[in-house]
Amino acid sequence: MGVVVKVPGGWDVPGSEEGWAGERGAGGEGQCVVPFPGPQGTMAEARQAATFRLDLGQGTPGRRWWNPALKEVGSAGLRSWRRSLAQCKDDILSGACPAGLASGLFLFAAIQGSRFMQLDPSLGLVDWIKASLPDWGVRWLPGFQGAVAATIFAGGLWTALLLTLHVVLRLLLRYQGWLSEPRGTLSLPTRSWLVSDWWGEYVYLRSRSPLLGNSNFYILDFLSVAPTPLQAARAGNAVYAMMRFREQLGRGEIEPATLLGMRPLCSAQYRQMFNTTRIPGVSGDRLYHVRDGCSRHVVVLHRGRFFRLGTHGGLGGHLLSPRVLEQQLQYILDDSAPAQPTEEHLAALTAAPRALWAQARASLQAGDRSSKAPLEVVEGAAFFVCLEETPGPSRTSPELDERAQSVLVGTGHSRWLDKSLNLVVFASGHMGLNVEHSWADTPVPSHMWEAILAAECFELGYAADGHCRGTPNPTVGPPERLLWMLPEEVAASIPLALREAQALARDTDCHILPFTHFGRGFTRRCRIPGSSFVQLALQLARFRDQGSFCLTYEACVTRSFHEGRTETVRPCTVEACAFVRAMEDPRLTDAQRLALFQVAAEKHWALCRAALTGEGVDRHLFCLYLVSQLLRLPSPFLTQVRAERWKLSTSQSATHQPQLFDPASHPDYVCCGGGFGPADDDGYGVSYVFMGESMVTFHISCRVSSPDTESYTRAFCPPPLECPQTCPFGSPGLCVLSSQDSRRFGQHIQDAMLDVATLFGLGAGPSTRARPGEAAREASRGPEPQQAPSAPRDLEY
């Protein structure tokens, strides 16, 4: 499948992500621009990195120690060369970069034409090649040797020009020094490193932990508005827009994401966006990808039943219209047939520990055609669609929080977590995306998702009655129901997987905080990078929540490098701690606090620049640890680093693409970002996205069972038989009356944001905690913020 356009697939270029483990302006028309106030992250990676363990099996330490290391280095090199060759072939065939076949044909025609005009642009090389050729058909075709010689020269010249352009672009786009140098100065190109293959291989594919709540992450559509209340219509437009996006990718028509509107980012991850499934293995997983032409359907899950929905039809095999896709999806919603007992909870296997799912899948594969055919349909689908009931507010969570939690974890058996993309559409018309993490980091599916939302709302649209535009096609038959014939060992594994998946789902608490007091416009006037402002506020919020500091993970993408993934920024610095202590010290003035804030912001931005340019430490430590294990040479230092716990995992989601969404004209139609599970069971996961100029949305998660993050109200209730809900603590009569884990931390974040803003003249000082919001709203309409002394240069603006 072709990747992107206009920019060579292998010469793309920066952004950010999450901790040892570890995203994104203004831009021109037709470009996805990565804003640059700091790192932006992929959302769920810190969990995988924090729990990474390398299992080399049994062996005698010190004996043939070089074999594992050389084997892994060789395997990584072979994988890299295979990907590069496949990428080069796809780019040439699609005409993406650096030149398509049409340019080669043009050059060939020009060389041949010059021969007939008695011109020799080869400076004698064509004649030399002709003299070196054997005497083929000279009697019958006198000009044959000359044509062959001209063809060889044209091909060689085209290849040489292509390779020259390749090298020039690589040298041009790999330069990173401008990120940290003063304007007008240059430095040597930033060193690049080749860890990305091992990163995906060991942190993701060899992880044996369940994907549910640990690796997969979610992205939502809009905070409140739904373009249509009809579930099938929303799903029909979304499926059509996603399949059309896939076709545009294949033709190389998608503009690459850029930094500051001029630096393209590496687009290699786009290749596996569609038609990709993570296949479980006993010791390690692998990514299975099929070409677009072999994947012309999606699989739909509704009330435990699986359906194959063909997306192309007619004589030309064209993509079905949104109205016909809606018609097909409505068939599924109207089908009253119940799910079979064995298939209703089948998807829970994808949420099980990977070894358990690998064994069950092997049993499916070993069975007859009736047992493995449905699995092949699922794994060969372009993506997975989940038609869901609308989650409503519970006694402790509003509807928005329930929606986020549903997209992330569902019921434990309502997502096929191995698929690269799970499109979740609710009965209310809202929808979201559950994304498997190993194939890409958050900015890539976010780029696609915002394009889908913009196309669906502003281009495709809906009729006055809420249906997709167009007319149904009664000749199109209903979708095919997939019937699973499960072996006994697979059926026996489902209850085990379901029990663990449901426990993980219940233990995940999500909260969305739309912070509406100010946004990027205020941080711009303060001349403070947006991510630095938020990260220091998060340090203050966490200190107030727990009374201590902790190791903090901030994801930073490194897609300025070929096949770059992520690096870690560590925001909990000595300077940040000094600022937080100053905020809690009533003896200090706001001017003193502001000075400390400025120092901490400068330090944070320096760490961001280092991470973006490949000069971070965590990926290098990861590689050193990996090599030490392969060589069986234990390192106490690296072992200690690996034992560190990331109790606060943070990431900035991709911001909206300004050419697609205008918050001023359509304030409700702005993607509200997404979130992920916490990296540590006793910590918080926080993702945030700047929505326009005056709003920041926070996505917060934690574990319900953690004694550090929980804030249950416990009380003795009537006897268990009269208790309205089951006690999770295992004590008779002791029940949960309220749970505000992530919501409590969300309140701390809001207070911290307002308190930091008071240092710049917004609000009335630290006392805003006593009355959050009111003073801030009045002040936001008042004076301009004070200018911070010695503010760091904000490259985003």
Side-chain angles (χ1 to χ4, degrees), residues 266-337:
C266 178
S267 303
Q269 296 176 24
Y270 287 77
R271 295 179 178 276
Q272 296 178 308
M273 180 178 293
F274 298 98
N275 329 329
T276 300
T277 304
R278 178 169 172 169
I279 304 298
V282 175
S283 60
D285 297 352
R286 61 183 176 88
L287 290 178
Y288 169 71
H289 176 78
V290 298
R291 292 190 171 273
D292 292 356
C294 301
S295 179
R296 302 167 72 84
H297 69 279
V298 298
V299 172
V300 183
L301 177 63
H302 178 243
R303 291 195 292 108
R305 305 165 303 158
F306 295 77
F307 296 84
R308 181 193 183 279
L309 191 158
T311 54
H312 294 70
L315 296 177
H318 297 297
L319 179 62
L320 298 178
S321 70
R323 187 66 180 91
V324 175
L325 291 171
E326 176 192 350
Q327 167 190 325
Q328 296 286 85
L329 290 159
Q330 193 62 49
Y331 278 136
I332 297 174
L333 292 173
D334 295 340
D335 189 344
S336 59

Side-chain angles (χ1 to χ4, degrees), residues 399-411:
E399 187 270 338
L400 191 59
D401 295 352
E402 293 294 326
R403 186 164 19 120
Q405 185 151 341
S406 179
V407 176
L408 179 61
V409 296
T411 60

Side-chain angles (χ1 to χ4, degrees), residues 717-797:
C717 296
L721 292 178
E722 302 176 25
C723 184
Q725 48 184 314
T726 303
C727 175
F729 301 103
S731 302
L734 185 61
C735 295
V736 180
L737 298 183
S738 65
S739 169
Q740 298 181 353
D741 303 358
S742 53
R743 279 156 291 285
R744 182 191 70 201
F745 191 57
Q747 185 62 53
H748 284 308
I749 292 176
Q750 174 167 285
D751 294 342
M753 291 283 288
L754 292 171
D755 288 353
V756 173
T758 61
L759 304 179
F760 296 90
L762 179 60
S767 60
T768 52
R769 273 181 289 166
R771 45 189 177 87
E774 298 180 2
R777 289 192 207 96
E778 291 297 323
S780 64
R781 293 189 283 267
E784 288 288 306
Q786 301 172 6
Q787 179 67 40
S790 304
R793 183 167 60 95
D794 189 351
L795 294 181
E796 180 187 4
Y797 311 117

Side-chain angles (χ1 to χ4, degrees), residues 11 17 44 66 127 137 162 173 181 201 225 277 336 340 342 387 414 421 429 457 463 485 575 613 648 680 696 728:
W11 315 316
E17 187 157 333
W66 46 267
D127 292 335
L162 186 147
L173 298 179
E181 296 294 324
E201 180 72 16
V225 67
T277 304
S336 59
Q340 299 298 318
T342 55
L387 300 179
S414 55
L421 302 171
C457 296
M485 302 296 292
E575 294 80 1
T613 55
L648 181 57
D680 188 87
V696 188

Side-chain angles (χ1 to χ4, degrees), residues 35-90:
F36 204 69
Q40 287 108 35
T42 100
M43 302 179 195
E45 185 175 82
R47 174 83 188 190
Q48 294 298 106
T51 58
F52 163 74
R53 295 294 182 270
L54 180 61
D55 183 10
L56 293 175
Q58 301 298 321
T60 303
R63 184 179 181 183
R64 299 182 65 84
W65 52 266
W66 46 267
N67 280 344
L70 291 182
K71 178 182 178 182
E72 288 302 322
V73 170
S75 298
L78 289 175
R79 287 192 296 265
S80 177
W81 276 104
R82 281 199 297 265
R83 284 197 306 269
S84 297
L85 290 175
Q87 178 176 315
C88 182
K89 181 192 70 173
D90 289 344

Side-chain angles (χ1 to χ4, degrees), residues 14-18 22-25 32-46 204 217-219 257-259 265 269 435 437 440-447 520 531 535 553-559 564-569 604-605 608 611-612 650-655 674-676 687-690 796:
S16 68
E17 187 157 333
E18 317 165 273
E23 290 185 76
R24 313 149 244 232
C32 170
V33 179
V34 177
F36 204 69
Q40 287 108 35
T42 100
M43 302 179 195
E45 185 175 82
Y204 291 115
F217 58 91
Y218 72 89
I219 313 174
T258 60
L259 178 65
L265 305 180
Q269 296 176 24
V435 185
H437 206 332
D441 302 319
T442 308
V444 173
S446 294
H447 181 190
R520 193 183 299 282
S531 66
Q535 287 293 334
Y553 183 96
E554 181 183 7
C556 178
V557 299
T558 53
R559 287 169 57 211
R565 290 292 300 248
T566 62
E567 179 54 272
T568 305
V569 178
H604 176 263
W605 186 234
C608 293
L612 288 165
T650 69
S651 174
Q652 180 178 345
S653 301
T655 58
F676 50 90
S687 175
Y688 56 95
V689 56
F690 287 90
E796 180 187 4

Side-chain angles (χ1 to χ4, degrees), residues 440-464:
D441 302 319
T442 308
V444 173
S446 294
H447 181 190
M448 179 274 297
W449 185 240
E450 292 192 345
I452 299 309
L453 294 178
E456 174 225 351
C457 296
F458 305 132
E459 179 187 349
L460 301 176
Y462 297 91

